[in-house]
Amino acid sequence: MKYLLSILSLLFLMGCTDSSDIPKEQSALKDFLENRGYQVISYEGLAETYELTKEKITELPYIMYWGLQSVEPALYFSKTINVEKFLVKNHPLSKGEVDVYVYEVDGQPIGGTSFPHGEKLAGGFWSLDGKTLEELQTKSFQDWRTDWINKYSKNGLVQPN
Protein backbone atom coordinates (compact mmCIF):
# COMPACT_ATOMS: atom_id res chain seq x y z
CA MET A 1 0.00 0.00 0.00
CA LYS A 2 2.85 2.42 0.85
CA TYR A 3 4.43 1.56 -2.48
CA LEU A 4 1.22 2.40 -4.34
CA LEU A 5 0.80 5.71 -2.45
CA SER A 6 4.40 6.65 -3.23
CA ILE A 7 3.90 6.03 -6.94
CA LEU A 8 0.61 7.94 -6.99
CA SER A 9 2.19 10.88 -5.14
CA LEU A 10 5.07 10.95 -7.60
CA LEU A 11 2.71 10.85 -10.59
CA PHE A 12 0.62 13.65 -9.07
CA LEU A 13 3.69 15.83 -8.54
CA MET A 14 4.91 15.18 -12.09
CA GLY A 15 1.50 16.14 -13.46
CA CYS A 16 1.54 19.41 -11.54
CA THR A 17 4.93 20.45 -12.90
CA ASP A 18 4.81 22.90 -15.77
CA SER A 19 6.95 21.56 -18.61
CA SER A 20 7.66 25.11 -19.81
CA ASP A 21 9.36 26.02 -16.54
CA ILE A 22 12.59 27.86 -17.05
CA PRO A 23 15.66 26.07 -15.70
CA LYS A 24 17.10 27.56 -12.52
CA GLU A 25 20.35 28.32 -14.38
CA GLN A 26 18.43 30.66 -16.71
CA SER A 27 16.51 32.56 -14.01
CA ALA A 28 18.88 35.58 -14.17
CA LEU A 29 18.31 35.76 -17.92
CA LYS A 30 14.54 35.50 -17.47
CA ASP A 31 14.68 38.32 -14.90
CA PHE A 32 16.81 40.36 -17.32
CA LEU A 33 14.11 40.05 -19.99
CA GLU A 34 11.21 40.68 -17.61
CA ASN A 35 12.94 43.81 -16.29
CA ARG A 36 12.87 45.09 -19.88
CA GLY A 37 9.09 44.59 -19.91
CA TYR A 38 8.97 41.37 -21.93
CA GLN A 39 6.68 38.50 -20.99
CA VAL A 40 8.74 35.32 -21.17
CA ILE A 41 6.68 32.51 -22.67
CA SER A 42 9.35 29.83 -22.76
CA TYR A 43 13.02 29.01 -22.67
CA GLU A 44 13.98 27.43 -26.00
CA GLY A 45 17.50 26.32 -25.09
CA LEU A 46 21.12 27.06 -25.86
CA ALA A 47 21.32 28.39 -29.42
CA GLU A 48 25.09 28.75 -29.68
CA THR A 49 28.34 28.91 -27.72
CA TYR A 50 31.52 30.51 -29.02
CA GLU A 51 34.68 32.31 -27.96
CA LEU A 52 34.59 35.99 -28.88
CA THR A 53 37.63 37.10 -30.87
CA LYS A 54 38.59 40.11 -32.97
CA GLU A 55 38.43 37.87 -36.03
CA LYS A 56 34.92 36.67 -35.23
CA ILE A 57 33.40 40.13 -34.81
CA THR A 58 34.68 41.30 -38.20
CA GLU A 59 32.87 38.47 -40.04
CA LEU A 60 29.20 37.96 -40.86
CA PRO A 61 26.93 37.46 -39.03
CA TYR A 62 28.86 38.41 -35.88
CA ILE A 63 29.77 41.90 -37.12
CA MET A 64 26.03 42.58 -37.27
CA TYR A 65 25.19 40.86 -33.98
CA TRP A 66 27.88 42.74 -32.05
CA GLY A 67 27.19 46.04 -33.80
CA LEU A 68 23.73 45.90 -32.22
CA GLN A 69 25.08 45.62 -28.67
CA SER A 70 25.37 48.47 -26.19
CA VAL A 71 28.44 46.88 -24.56
CA GLU A 72 32.03 47.19 -25.75
CA PRO A 73 32.95 43.86 -27.42
CA ALA A 74 36.61 44.15 -26.39
CA LEU A 75 35.56 43.55 -22.78
CA TYR A 76 34.56 40.02 -23.80
CA PHE A 77 37.44 38.97 -26.07
CA SER A 78 38.64 35.45 -25.21
CA LYS A 79 35.46 34.88 -23.18
CA THR A 80 32.87 32.22 -23.87
CA ILE A 81 29.59 33.67 -25.11
CA ASN A 82 26.51 31.55 -24.50
CA VAL A 83 23.52 32.51 -26.61
CA GLU A 84 20.30 31.44 -24.89
CA LYS A 85 17.02 31.53 -26.81
CA PHE A 86 13.72 32.62 -25.27
CA LEU A 87 10.26 33.15 -26.72
CA VAL A 88 8.67 36.38 -25.50
CA LYS A 89 5.61 38.60 -25.92
CA ASN A 90 5.16 42.33 -25.34
CA HIS A 91 8.19 43.13 -27.50
CA PRO A 92 8.48 46.25 -29.72
CA LEU A 93 9.54 44.22 -32.76
CA SER A 94 6.17 42.49 -33.18
CA LYS A 95 2.67 42.37 -31.73
CA GLY A 96 3.01 38.59 -31.71
CA GLU A 97 5.77 36.41 -30.35
CA VAL A 98 9.46 37.24 -30.72
CA ASP A 99 12.53 35.03 -30.50
CA VAL A 100 15.06 36.68 -28.19
CA TYR A 101 18.67 35.55 -28.04
CA VAL A 102 20.31 36.61 -24.78
CA TYR A 103 24.11 36.82 -24.73
CA GLU A 104 25.45 35.51 -21.44
CA VAL A 105 28.99 35.58 -20.07
CA ASP A 106 29.92 33.96 -16.76
CA GLY A 107 26.24 33.57 -15.85
CA GLN A 108 25.38 37.23 -16.48
CA PRO A 109 23.36 38.68 -19.38
CA ILE A 110 25.27 41.28 -21.42
CA GLY A 111 22.96 41.88 -24.38
CA GLY A 112 21.33 40.02 -27.22
CA THR A 113 19.33 40.12 -30.42
CA SER A 114 15.72 39.55 -31.43
CA PHE A 115 13.84 38.17 -34.42
CA PRO A 116 10.12 37.89 -35.25
CA HIS A 117 9.04 34.36 -34.28
CA GLY A 118 8.24 32.09 -37.18
CA GLU A 119 9.44 34.54 -39.85
CA LYS A 120 11.65 33.37 -42.70
CA LEU A 121 13.42 36.66 -43.31
CA ALA A 122 16.91 36.61 -44.75
CA GLY A 123 19.40 39.14 -43.43
CA GLY A 124 17.27 40.74 -40.74
CA PHE A 125 19.18 41.82 -37.64
CA TRP A 126 17.62 43.53 -34.62
CA SER A 127 18.93 44.46 -31.20
CA LEU A 128 17.52 42.93 -28.06
CA ASP A 129 15.00 45.80 -28.05
CA GLY A 130 14.08 45.47 -31.74
CA LYS A 131 16.21 48.24 -33.20
CA THR A 132 18.22 48.00 -36.42
CA LEU A 133 21.89 48.84 -36.75
CA GLU A 134 20.94 52.02 -38.61
CA GLU A 135 18.76 53.11 -35.68
CA LEU A 136 21.57 52.52 -33.18
CA GLN A 137 24.56 53.96 -35.01
CA THR A 138 25.10 57.63 -35.85
CA LYS A 139 27.03 56.92 -39.08
CA SER A 140 26.02 55.44 -42.41
CA PHE A 141 26.34 51.66 -42.56
CA GLN A 142 29.41 51.85 -44.84
CA ASP A 143 31.22 54.33 -42.57
CA TRP A 144 30.30 52.34 -39.48
CA ARG A 145 31.50 49.07 -41.07
CA THR A 146 34.83 50.63 -42.15
CA ASP A 147 35.42 52.05 -38.65
CA TRP A 148 34.43 48.75 -37.00
CA ILE A 149 36.76 46.66 -39.13
CA ASN A 150 39.61 49.14 -38.70
CA LYS A 151 39.10 49.02 -34.93
CA TYR A 152 38.90 45.23 -34.57
CA SER A 153 40.67 43.74 -37.58
CA LYS A 154 44.05 42.09 -37.15
CA ASN A 155 45.19 43.55 -40.44
CA GLY A 156 44.22 47.12 -39.64
CA LEU A 157 42.97 49.61 -42.14
CA VAL A 158 40.15 48.96 -44.55
CA GLN A 159 39.48 51.56 -47.20
CA PRO A 160 35.94 52.92 -47.55
CA ASN A 161 34.02 51.66 -50.61
Side-chain angles (χ1 to χ4, degrees), residues 82-94:
N82 294 313
V83 182
E84 303 283 357
K85 182 179 178 184
F86 291 83
L87 187 60
V88 303
K89 282 186 178 178
N90 197 33
H91 191 280
L93 189 56
S94 172

Side-chain angles (χ1 to χ4, degrees), residues 53-153:
T53 63
K54 283 185 174 187
E55 295 81 16
K56 188 169 273 300
I57 66 166
T58 59
E59 301 169 354
L60 282 173
Y62 300 96
I63 187 172
M64 300 300 291
Y65 295 160
W66 282 90
L68 294 167
Q69 305 311 308
S70 61
V71 297
E72 171 57 47
L75 297 172
Y76 303 100
F77 287 158
S78 300
K79 299 250 184 193
T80 299
I81 310 298
N82 294 313
V83 182
E84 303 283 357
K85 182 179 178 184
F86 291 83
L87 187 60
V88 303
K89 282 186 178 178
N90 197 33
H91 191 280
L93 189 56
S94 172
K95 291 183 182 192
E97 297 173 342
V98 173
D99 294 327
V100 172
Y101 298 87
V102 179
Y103 295 10
E104 175 263 320
V105 175
D106 297 328
Q108 296 302 311
I110 62 165
T113 58
S114 58
F115 197 84
H117 180 69
E119 297 290 325
K120 301 292 183 208
L121 304 172
F125 299 95
W126 293 273
S127 71
L128 187 63
D129 296 322
K131 295 193 183 293
T132 64
L133 189 68
E134 291 78 10
E135 292 174 301
L136 296 171
Q137 303 299 332
T138 58
K139 300 175 184 178
S140 71
F141 174 75
Q142 290 302 326
D143 289 343
W144 171 83
R145 181 186 167 278
T146 299
D147 290 349
W148 183 275
I149 290 175
N150 286 338
K151 182 176 181 179
Y152 296 114
S153 176

Side-chain angles (χ1 to χ4, degrees), residues 33-63:
L33 293 172
E34 288 176 342
N35 288 338
R36 293 175 107 72
Y38 308 141
Q39 177 189 351
V40 176
I41 298 169
S42 63
Y43 168 66
E44 301 292 305
L46 179 67
E48 182 179 14
T49 296
Y50 59 90
E51 180 182 334
L52 189 63
T53 63
K54 283 185 174 187
E55 295 81 16
K56 188 169 273 300
I57 66 166
T58 59
E59 301 169 354
L60 282 173
Y62 300 96
I63 187 172

